[in-house]
Structure formats: structure tokens, C-alpha cells
Amino acid sequence: MKVGVIGRGTVGSAVLEGLSKYHEVSGYDKKSGKKKDFEKVLQSEVIFLCLPTPSALHGQDLTVIENSLKEIFNGGFTGILAIKSTILPGTIHKWTKIWKFGKFVACPEFLSADTAKDDFIKARTICVGGDLPDCKKVIEAHKGLRITKFVIGSS
């Protein structure tokens, strides 16, 4: 499976390294600024968004992730976006009203900064939420890891 990772910080680096043993994985980080890397990520079936969502006065600052979503959809992406970033309940529902054609799956990551790569690779449980066919595709993207339990919340 072709898998993309946007954001190469703690979470994104762990996801990229953990899945690259089992899939064709490409990564992009805005700081690198390599357009060819971004274009390669857009060819993926599933893109894991691993971007910062810092706290703001009234909730979260979603500027970085929403600007990335604009670029992704303007680039013609038609696959599934697995959101690893921490987001508040209702955020994906809001995004589906803005980007009606988008396929979003919440897929939160539970990592410690010091042990992120090991935490991702050794995880036994994964939680996903979204439309069931899209959730199944995100679960498929985790195949090869030691995950034995999948928690699915579907709409």
C-alpha cells in the first residue's frame, strides 16, 4: 500500500519509520519545502497527518493543519486522511462540511516524546473513527505492526 506522512516531528517520524517496513511510505514536512516530496505523498492511498495543534484561547489553533488540508485537496488528493494530530471532538465533522469530498479518519496517537518510535512500533491497540470503509483502510495501513486490538467508532 502507498502511505504518506505529512509532518516529520515526533509523531510523524515514528509513523514513517514504523510503517516503512511494511508499505511504500513517503514523507513530507513543510520545513523541508521539497515540492517533489509533497507530490509523492499525494499519490498515497492513505495520508497520516501528524501536525501541531497547539492550544489557543478558545480551543485549538488549527491553522497549520487546515492550511495543509487546503494544499492537499488543491493538489488533487482523493484518498483517506488519517488524523494523528490531537483534535477536539467535532473537528472532523466541521471539516467534512468544508471539504465535502474529503475522507477523514480520526486515528489519535498515544506516544511519549522520548520513546515515540518504540511506542508506535510496539503498540497493541489502535483507535480509529470515521466511515467504516475508510476506517478499515487505515487499519490496513497499520498491518505488519503488532496490533492485536482495533477500536472502531464509525458513522
Side-chain angles (χ1 to χ4, degrees):
M1 170 185 289
K2 287 186 177 181
V3 175
V5 178
I6 294 181
R8 301 283 300 271
T10 301
V11 173
S13 294
V15 172
L16 187 98
E17 185 174 317
L19 296 181
S20 64
K21 297 175 185 176
Y22 309 104
H23 301 288
E24 182 183 334
V25 182
S26 54
Y28 173 77
D29 194 287
K30 192 125 182 140
K31 291 177 184 174
S32 72
K34 295 181 181 175
K35 187 175 179 175
K36 65 178 180 162
D37 291 343
F38 183 70
E39 291 170 353
K40 187 172 182 182
V41 167
L42 292 179
Q43 302 305 310
S44 303
E45 296 173 63
V46 175
I47 293 176
F48 288 94
L49 278 179
C50 309
L51 299 169
T53 52
S55 297
L57 185 58
H58 299 288
Q60 289 180 295
D61 179 356
L62 299 172
T63 305
V64 171
I65 197 167
E66 289 179 347
N67 286 341
S68 292
L69 290 172
K70 289 175 192 171
E71 290 180 43
I72 290 165
F73 290 126
N74 287 340
F77 180 69
T78 59
I80 298 164
L81 288 162
I83 311 299
K84 291 282 189 189
S85 303
T86 302
I87 54 173
L88 296 173
T91 302
I92 287 179
H93 180 70
K94 178 184 109 175
W95 289 341
T96 59
K97 290 183 176 187
I98 298 169
W99 296 287
K100 294 176 178 23
F101 47 84
K103 299 176 190 174
F104 297 95
V105 172
C107 186
E109 199 54 61
F110 306 99
L111 305 173
S112 297
D114 293 340
T115 57
K117 291 176 185 171
D118 281 342
D119 291 349
F120 181 77
I121 292 167
K122 295 178 180 177
R124 296 286 187 256
T125 303
I126 184 173
C127 300
V128 293
D131 289 337
L132 190 55
D134 299 337
C135 288
K136 287 181 177 181
K137 195 71 167 177
V138 171
I139 289 170
E140 182 184 334
H142 285 83
K143 293 285 165 118
L145 299 176
R146 300 179 194 179
I147 297 169
T148 57
K149 183 177 180 183
F150 299 97
V151 180
I152 302 171
S154 65
S155 48

